Amino acid sequence: MATITQAQPETAAEAARILGAADRAGQNVRLRGAGTKLGWGRPMPGADLELGTSRLDTITEHNRGDLTAVLEAGVPFAVAQATFAQADQMLALDPPLGEDSAATIGGVVATADSGPLRHRYGAPRDLVIGMTVALADGTVAKSGGKVIKNVAGYDLAKLHAGAFGTLGLILSVSVRLHPLHPERTTAIGTARDSQALAAAAVAMAAMPFEFDALDVAWRGGRGGILMRCSGSEHASRGARAAHRLSELGLAGVDTLTADEPLWERQRAGQRSRDGALVRLAAPPAALGAVLQAVDGVHGTLVGRAALGISYVELAPDSVATLRVALPPGTVAVLLDAPAATRSEGDPWGGGDERAIALMRSVKTRFDPAGTCNRGLFVDGI
């Protein structure tokens, strides 16, 4: 097995120079942060160079009055949140952060990772207002700015958020922050019927309660709804949400203020250590059919009820069965899985030919030699 050269640049300029030199040499470069999601995507063919961001770890700016910040890509996400919390602020993303909470801001944005807070605040692409990237040829490109209303330049952030490093290396991001509200209430309710739970979730999504998060959980023919409220009226809004759950016929209705263990379990359900983990995207109205498909493979589901995004943990040999059982139009992406399972088929689940053609044209424009994370993305891009 060939040895992969390791590079950990200490500046953005150095990172760009290394990437440009590798591109001119025709090398395949694997871009990485902390490595908490290295197994996601298609297995990459042998990389010549691994270019990491662990030394690009400075919070360059924290503009408390403007509720914005600029962070280098290698800043650990947990460190950034702790810094913002000192000013009663937060970056409104809460994905699982991996072992020792090692995930970096660059890795979170590159993989478009998120958690329950996505219900209210959106995905990484919605919170990044500016970005600096190193393109494959060594060019440093910037877009956006450091204030929310700045829309200067081409919106690189939208392209690079979720591109898995196939268009270049994220060097830094400017992000929008939100006030941190430690006071909160979570309303919960349970059901043993998948259609009843799905109907209740759809109904609650239409209610004007301004939930921070609206999640579902399902396992072994039983599940529940979790709805978090924060802010000055969190208790009253939580009580009203619980009352509505009772009206919808759910059991075990309650409200909790010490709710973090519940939400930590939801985030933990977005990863699998020994099994397989599939991320689903389906219309919210199809939740009942999704839950039935999950029961058919004895899986466990957590997800964002109003967004149609779910994560299913199941046995690796049941992934193909799940794909067949899902309602039409569902997009199923294999995230975590043993190597043997990952090598079978396309973890991205294929895709629309027109969409793939568009993605290939974008890849060709930004990385014509296929230097960055070659073969990792959809259809081997």
Side-chain angles (χ1 to χ4, degrees):
M1 181 179 296
T3 301
I4 301 176
T5 302
Q6 307 287 327
Q8 295 289 342
E10 297 185 357
T11 67
E14 182 186 359
R17 285 197 301 271
I18 293 172
L19 185 55
D23 181 67
R24 291 188 292 274
Q27 294 183 319
N28 182 7
V29 181
R30 180 164 63 196
L31 309 178
R32 62 168 291 171
T36 61
K37 294 176 280 290
L38 267 186
W40 290 12
R42 295 169 62 100
M44 284 181 58
D48 305 296
L49 171 67
E50 186 172 85
L51 180 56
T53 61
S54 64
R55 295 181 182 174
L56 301 176
D57 59 355
T58 301
I59 300 177
T60 308
E61 298 181 28
H62 179 197
N63 306 302
R64 300 186 180 197
D66 292 333
L67 284 165
T68 61
V70 181
L71 309 92
E72 289 188 317
V75 174
F77 193 89
V79 171
Q81 289 289 48
T83 300
F84 303 147
Q86 294 174 10
D88 296 323
Q89 297 174 359
M90 67 173 179
L91 176 54
L93 294 169
D94 58 342
L97 299 181
E99 189 173 351
D100 298 326
S101 297
T104 62
I105 182 65
V108 169
V109 173
T111 58
D113 204 8
S114 61
L117 288 179
R118 182 169 179 172
H119 170 81
R120 179 171 183 176
Y121 297 102
R125 70 194 305 271
D126 303 304
L127 297 172
V128 175
I129 58 177
M131 182 179 287
T132 301
V133 299
L135 303 181
D137 64 359
T139 300
V140 175
K142 300 180 181 181
S143 73
K146 297 184 287 186
V147 294
I148 294 171
K149 292 184 179 180
N150 189 316
V151 293
Y154 191 79
D155 197 348
L156 286 175
K158 295 291 192 293
L159 280 177
H160 286 264
F164 278 65
T166 55
L167 301 179
L169 175 65
I170 297 175
L171 299 172
S172 68
V173 293
S174 302
V175 295
R176 176 185 183 183
L177 305 178
H178 286 83
L180 176 63
H181 299 295
E183 304 86 6
R184 59 204 185 203
T185 296
T186 292
I188 60 173
T190 62
R192 291 186 175 275
D193 179 86
S194 59
Q195 297 301 324
L197 183 68
V202 170
M204 295 309 298
M207 294 290 110
F209 288 114
E210 295 185 0
F211 297 123
D212 287 0
L214 171 55
D215 259 27
V216 293
W218 185 262
R219 181 173 188 170
R222 185 174 186 273
I225 302 177
L226 305 84
M227 298 157 294
R228 172 180 278 182
C229 304
S230 67
S232 59
E233 298 181 358
H234 65 96
S236 61
R237 287 190 288 123
R240 293 199 304 272
H243 178 71
R244 182 60 181 144
L245 286 180
S246 295
E247 291 180 332
L248 291 169
L250 267 66
V253 174
D254 200 358
T255 58
L256 303 168
T257 53
D259 63 354
E260 186 53 32
L262 290 176
W263 295 103
E264 181 56 37
R265 283 199 293 272
Q266 290 297 104
R267 289 188 289 270
Q270 295 180 211
R271 300 289 188 268
S272 178
R273 182 180 296 273
D274 301 313
L277 196 285
V278 178
R279 183 179 63 205
L280 307 179
L287 177 59
V290 169
L291 296 179
Q292 289 180 338
V294 171
D295 274 343
V297 294
H298 307 287
T300 300
L301 176 145
V302 301
R304 320 284 94 88
L307 305 180
I309 300 169
S310 303
Y311 299 81
V312 179
E313 184 177 23
L314 69 167
D317 59 4
S318 297
V319 172
T321 303
L322 175 66
R323 289 188 188 275
V324 172
L326 290 168
T330 302
V331 177
V333 177
L334 179 65
L335 297 180
D336 296 329
T341 301
R342 185 168 302 282
S343 64
E344 298 175 358
D346 186 352
W348 299 98
D352 179 84
E353 291 184 3
R354 290 174 298 178
I356 291 174
L358 177 59
M359 286 187 280
R360 285 199 173 279
S361 68
V362 173
K363 173 70 170 179
T364 299
R365 174 64 182 84
F366 280 82
D367 181 16
T371 299
C372 301
N373 284 353
R374 184 185 304 159
L376 177 71
F377 206 43
V378 178
D379 201 45
I381 294 175

